[in-house]
Amino acid sequence: TLLSTTPEKSQPAVAMAVFSALRALLLNVKFHYIDNTAQEPCFLNICIAEQASGKTALRPPTRAILHTIEEEDEESRRQDAEWRDQCATLSANAERPKRPTSPIRIVQADMTSPALVTLMRRAAGYSLYTYGEELEKLMRLQGASEIIRSAFDCEDYGQERVGANAVSDVVRLKWSIVYATTPATAQRILAKEVNNGTLTRLALSTIQTDEDDWGEETPTY
Protein backbone atom coordinates (compact mmCIF):
# COMPACT_ATOMS: atom_id res chain seq x y z
CA THR A 1 0.00 0.00 0.00
CA LEU A 2 2.76 2.45 0.93
CA LEU A 3 4.64 1.81 -2.32
CA SER A 4 1.62 1.76 -4.65
CA THR A 5 2.29 5.26 -6.05
CA THR A 6 6.09 5.12 -5.85
CA PRO A 7 8.11 4.80 -9.08
CA GLU A 8 9.64 1.32 -9.36
CA LYS A 9 13.23 2.55 -9.28
CA SER A 10 12.58 4.33 -5.96
CA GLN A 11 10.62 1.54 -4.26
CA PRO A 12 13.55 -0.18 -2.46
CA ALA A 13 14.73 3.09 -0.92
CA VAL A 14 11.19 4.10 0.07
CA ALA A 15 10.53 0.64 1.55
CA MET A 16 13.45 1.20 3.91
CA ALA A 17 12.60 4.82 4.71
CA VAL A 18 8.98 4.26 5.76
CA PHE A 19 10.07 2.30 8.83
CA SER A 20 11.47 5.49 10.38
CA ALA A 21 8.02 7.09 10.10
CA LEU A 22 6.23 3.95 11.31
CA ARG A 23 8.54 3.97 14.35
CA ALA A 24 6.96 7.24 15.47
CA LEU A 25 3.62 5.43 15.94
CA LEU A 26 5.01 2.84 18.36
CA LEU A 27 5.05 3.21 22.14
CA ASN A 28 7.17 0.91 24.30
CA VAL A 29 7.33 -1.81 21.62
CA LYS A 30 10.49 -3.92 21.81
CA PHE A 31 12.05 -6.51 19.53
CA HIS A 32 14.43 -9.34 20.36
CA TYR A 33 17.78 -8.78 18.69
CA ILE A 34 20.34 -11.37 17.64
CA ASP A 35 22.24 -10.95 20.93
CA ASN A 36 19.00 -11.87 22.79
CA THR A 37 18.44 -8.34 24.10
CA ALA A 38 14.97 -6.78 24.00
CA GLN A 39 15.20 -3.28 22.59
CA GLU A 40 13.02 -0.62 21.01
CA PRO A 41 13.85 -0.12 17.32
CA CYS A 42 15.62 2.83 15.77
CA PHE A 43 15.75 3.50 12.03
CA LEU A 44 18.43 5.89 10.80
CA ASN A 45 17.96 5.91 7.02
CA ILE A 46 20.09 7.84 4.56
CA CYS A 47 19.34 7.59 0.86
CA ILE A 48 22.47 8.41 -1.15
CA ALA A 49 21.77 9.01 -4.83
CA GLU A 50 22.60 11.43 -7.60
CA GLN A 51 20.64 14.62 -8.09
CA ALA A 52 17.33 14.20 -9.94
CA SER A 53 17.39 10.47 -9.24
CA GLY A 54 13.98 10.48 -7.54
CA LYS A 55 14.87 10.96 -3.86
CA THR A 56 11.78 13.13 -3.43
CA ALA A 57 9.75 9.89 -3.60
CA LEU A 58 10.74 9.27 0.03
CA ARG A 59 8.61 12.15 1.24
CA PRO A 60 4.94 11.41 0.30
CA PRO A 61 4.57 8.00 2.03
CA THR A 62 6.20 9.25 5.24
CA ARG A 63 3.96 12.31 5.32
CA ALA A 64 0.92 10.07 4.90
CA ILE A 65 2.02 7.96 7.88
CA LEU A 66 2.70 11.02 10.04
CA HIS A 67 -0.33 13.08 9.00
CA THR A 68 -2.05 12.94 12.40
CA ILE A 69 1.18 13.65 14.27
CA GLU A 70 1.84 16.67 12.02
CA GLU A 71 -1.56 18.10 12.95
CA GLU A 72 -0.91 17.57 16.67
CA ASP A 73 2.54 19.16 16.35
CA GLU A 74 1.05 22.19 14.63
CA GLU A 75 -1.19 22.82 17.63
CA SER A 76 1.72 22.31 20.04
CA ARG A 77 3.88 24.78 18.09
CA ARG A 78 1.03 27.31 18.20
CA GLN A 79 0.90 26.97 21.99
CA ASP A 80 4.67 27.42 22.19
CA ALA A 81 4.47 30.58 20.05
CA GLU A 82 1.77 32.02 22.32
CA TRP A 83 3.89 31.24 25.38
CA ARG A 84 6.91 33.02 23.88
CA ASP A 85 4.76 36.05 23.00
CA GLN A 86 3.45 36.21 26.57
CA CYS A 87 6.96 35.99 28.00
CA ALA A 88 8.17 38.76 25.68
CA THR A 89 5.62 41.20 27.12
CA LEU A 90 6.52 40.56 30.77
CA SER A 91 9.02 42.56 32.77
CA ALA A 92 12.23 40.93 33.97
CA ASN A 93 10.85 40.49 37.49
CA ALA A 94 7.44 39.18 36.49
CA GLU A 95 6.61 35.55 37.02
CA ARG A 96 6.52 33.73 33.72
CA PRO A 97 3.71 31.34 32.81
CA LYS A 98 4.58 27.68 32.63
CA ARG A 99 5.85 26.48 29.29
CA PRO A 100 3.46 24.15 27.41
CA THR A 101 4.26 20.46 27.77
CA SER A 102 2.31 19.07 24.81
CA PRO A 103 4.62 17.01 22.57
CA ILE A 104 6.31 18.08 19.35
CA ARG A 105 7.51 14.86 17.73
CA ILE A 106 8.45 15.80 14.15
CA VAL A 107 11.53 17.90 14.76
CA GLN A 108 14.25 19.68 12.81
CA ALA A 109 17.90 18.63 13.07
CA ASP A 110 18.86 22.31 13.35
CA MET A 111 18.58 22.45 17.14
CA THR A 112 20.73 22.45 20.26
CA SER A 113 21.43 19.45 22.46
CA PRO A 114 19.31 20.89 25.32
CA ALA A 115 16.43 21.38 22.86
CA LEU A 116 16.71 17.71 21.85
CA VAL A 117 16.54 16.63 25.48
CA THR A 118 13.55 18.90 26.16
CA LEU A 119 11.66 17.66 23.10
CA MET A 120 12.43 14.05 24.00
CA ARG A 121 11.07 14.58 27.51
CA ARG A 122 7.88 16.11 26.10
CA ALA A 123 7.42 13.17 23.72
CA ALA A 124 6.33 11.06 26.70
CA GLY A 125 7.92 7.83 25.55
CA TYR A 126 7.28 8.17 21.82
CA SER A 127 10.05 8.50 19.26
CA LEU A 128 11.04 11.77 17.61
CA TYR A 129 11.26 11.86 13.82
CA THR A 130 13.22 14.00 11.36
CA TYR A 131 13.17 14.17 7.58
CA GLY A 132 15.85 16.24 5.90
CA GLU A 133 17.65 16.85 2.65
CA GLU A 134 20.71 18.61 4.05
CA LEU A 135 22.93 16.11 5.84
CA GLU A 136 25.13 18.98 6.99
CA LYS A 137 22.42 20.13 9.42
CA LEU A 138 22.30 16.74 11.10
CA MET A 139 26.06 16.51 11.56
CA ARG A 140 26.28 20.13 12.78
CA LEU A 141 24.25 19.14 15.81
CA GLN A 142 26.66 19.22 18.75
CA GLY A 143 27.74 15.67 19.47
CA ALA A 144 25.93 14.34 16.39
CA SER A 145 27.95 11.10 16.26
CA GLU A 146 27.25 10.38 19.93
CA ILE A 147 23.57 11.20 19.45
CA ILE A 148 23.27 8.82 16.49
CA ARG A 149 24.86 5.99 18.46
CA SER A 150 22.74 6.71 21.55
CA ALA A 151 19.54 6.83 19.50
CA PHE A 152 20.29 3.55 17.73
CA ASP A 153 21.01 1.83 21.06
CA CYS A 154 18.09 3.61 22.79
CA GLU A 155 20.47 4.75 25.53
CA ASP A 156 20.28 7.54 28.08
CA TYR A 157 21.33 10.95 26.79
CA GLY A 158 21.44 14.38 28.38
CA GLN A 159 23.53 16.91 30.25
CA GLU A 160 24.16 18.08 33.78
CA ARG A 161 24.02 21.85 34.42
CA VAL A 162 23.90 23.91 37.60
CA GLY A 163 22.37 27.15 36.24
CA ALA A 164 18.79 27.94 37.26
CA ASN A 165 17.66 28.40 33.65
CA ALA A 166 19.81 25.69 32.10
CA VAL A 167 18.46 22.35 30.93
CA SER A 168 19.74 19.61 33.23
CA ASP A 169 18.05 16.36 32.33
CA VAL A 170 18.70 12.83 31.11
CA VAL A 171 16.28 11.03 28.81
CA ARG A 172 16.06 7.73 26.97
CA LEU A 173 16.86 8.87 23.44
CA LYS A 174 14.40 7.65 20.79
CA TRP A 175 14.90 9.36 17.44
CA SER A 176 14.50 7.99 13.92
CA ILE A 177 15.52 9.90 10.80
CA VAL A 178 15.26 9.89 7.01
CA TYR A 179 17.79 11.89 5.03
CA ALA A 180 18.38 12.23 1.31
CA THR A 181 21.77 13.35 0.02
CA THR A 182 24.21 12.99 -2.86
CA PRO A 183 27.26 10.68 -2.97
CA ALA A 184 29.78 13.54 -2.83
CA THR A 185 28.11 15.11 0.21
CA ALA A 186 27.77 11.76 1.97
CA GLN A 187 31.43 10.89 1.40
CA ARG A 188 32.59 14.28 2.65
CA ILE A 189 30.45 14.31 5.78
CA LEU A 190 30.62 10.64 6.76
CA ALA A 191 34.33 10.15 6.07
CA LYS A 192 35.13 10.76 9.74
CA GLU A 193 32.41 8.38 10.96
CA VAL A 194 33.78 5.13 9.51
CA ASN A 195 35.64 3.77 12.53
CA ASN A 196 33.68 5.13 15.50
CA GLY A 197 30.55 2.99 15.20
CA THR A 198 28.38 5.70 13.67
CA LEU A 199 28.39 4.49 10.06
CA THR A 200 27.48 0.93 11.06
CA ARG A 201 24.31 2.22 12.73
CA LEU A 202 23.05 3.91 9.57
CA ALA A 203 20.83 2.16 7.03
CA LEU A 204 22.08 3.31 3.63
CA SER A 205 20.15 3.01 0.38
CA THR A 206 20.42 4.34 -3.16
CA ILE A 207 18.35 4.77 -6.31
CA GLN A 208 19.60 3.44 -9.63
CA THR A 209 18.95 6.01 -12.35
CA ASP A 210 20.12 3.95 -15.34
CA GLU A 211 18.25 0.71 -16.08
CA ASP A 212 21.43 -0.71 -17.63
CA ASP A 213 23.01 -0.62 -14.14
CA TRP A 214 20.18 -2.53 -12.48
CA GLY A 215 21.55 -5.94 -13.27
CA GLU A 216 19.05 -8.75 -12.75
CA GLU A 217 15.43 -8.11 -11.92
CA THR A 218 14.95 -6.73 -8.42
CA PRO A 219 14.07 -9.68 -6.15
CA THR A 220 10.77 -9.56 -4.28
CA TYR A 221 10.53 -11.08 -0.80
Side-chain angles (χ1 to χ4, degrees):
T1 300
L2 291 171
L3 302 179
S4 61
T5 61
T6 301
E8 182 180 1
K9 68 175 184 178
S10 302
Q11 286 184 2
V14 173
M16 291 177 62
V18 294
F19 280 95
S20 289
L22 292 169
R23 168 68 178 100
L25 306 179
L26 301 180
L27 179 63
N28 298 326
V29 175
K30 296 183 178 181
F31 295 88
H32 282 279
Y33 282 71
I34 194 170
D35 59 355
N36 203 33
T37 60
Q39 182 175 313
E40 293 191 49
C42 174
F43 301 100
L44 305 168
N45 289 279
I46 300 181
C47 180
I48 305 173
E50 299 289 349
Q51 291 182 353
S53 61
K55 295 190 293 294
T56 54
L58 276 64
R59 188 66 167 146
T62 57
R63 292 204 66 177
I65 295 169
L66 299 168
H67 176 69
T68 302
I69 297 176
E70 281 187 341
E71 291 182 338
E72 295 171 351
D73 283 0
E74 185 176 352
E75 173 60 22
S76 297
R77 292 184 187 279
R78 186 190 64 78
Q79 294 176 10
D80 273 18
E82 289 182 354
W83 173 78
R84 284 191 294 268
D85 291 342
Q86 291 176 2
C87 292
T89 61
L90 298 175
S91 64
N93 297 326
E95 183 178 355
R96 293 190 173 189
K98 290 185 178 180
R99 183 166 192 160
T101 58
S102 53
I104 298 175
R105 292 161 53 193
I106 303 176
V107 301
Q108 301 296 316
D110 187 7
M111 60 181 161
T112 63
S113 298
L116 174 60
V117 172
T118 300
L119 290 166
M120 190 71 258
R121 176 64 67 187
R122 290 174 61 172
Y126 281 98
S127 172
L128 302 179
Y129 170 84
T130 295
Y131 173 89
E133 296 182 354
E134 296 182 19
L135 196 56
E136 295 93 335
K137 284 187 177 181
L138 175 64
M139 302 311 294
R140 277 203 303 265
L141 178 60
Q142 184 179 3
S145 296
E146 176 193 352
I147 290 171
I148 289 173
R149 295 193 295 271
S150 296
F152 184 85
D153 299 331
C154 201
E155 291 182 344
D156 289 345
Y157 174 80
Q159 56 267 316
E160 305 288 356
R161 301 290 186 269
V162 296
N165 296 322
V167 175
S168 181
D169 196 4
V170 177
V171 295
R172 186 64 59 86
L173 188 56
K174 305 175 185 180
W175 187 23
S176 292
I177 65 173
V178 174
Y179 266 80
T181 189
T182 59
T185 301
Q187 290 171 6
R188 174 170 52 83
I189 294 177
L190 300 177
K192 299 179 181 179
E193 313 298 337
V194 174
N195 297 321
N196 61 8
T198 301
L199 191 63
T200 58
R201 287 170 169 82
L202 300 176
L204 306 180
S205 64
T206 191
I207 298 173
Q208 292 286 4
T209 56
D210 187 349
E211 292 187 12
D212 294 335
D213 295 334
W214 286 16
E216 298 179 358
E217 184 179 353
T218 303
T220 303
Y221 297 95

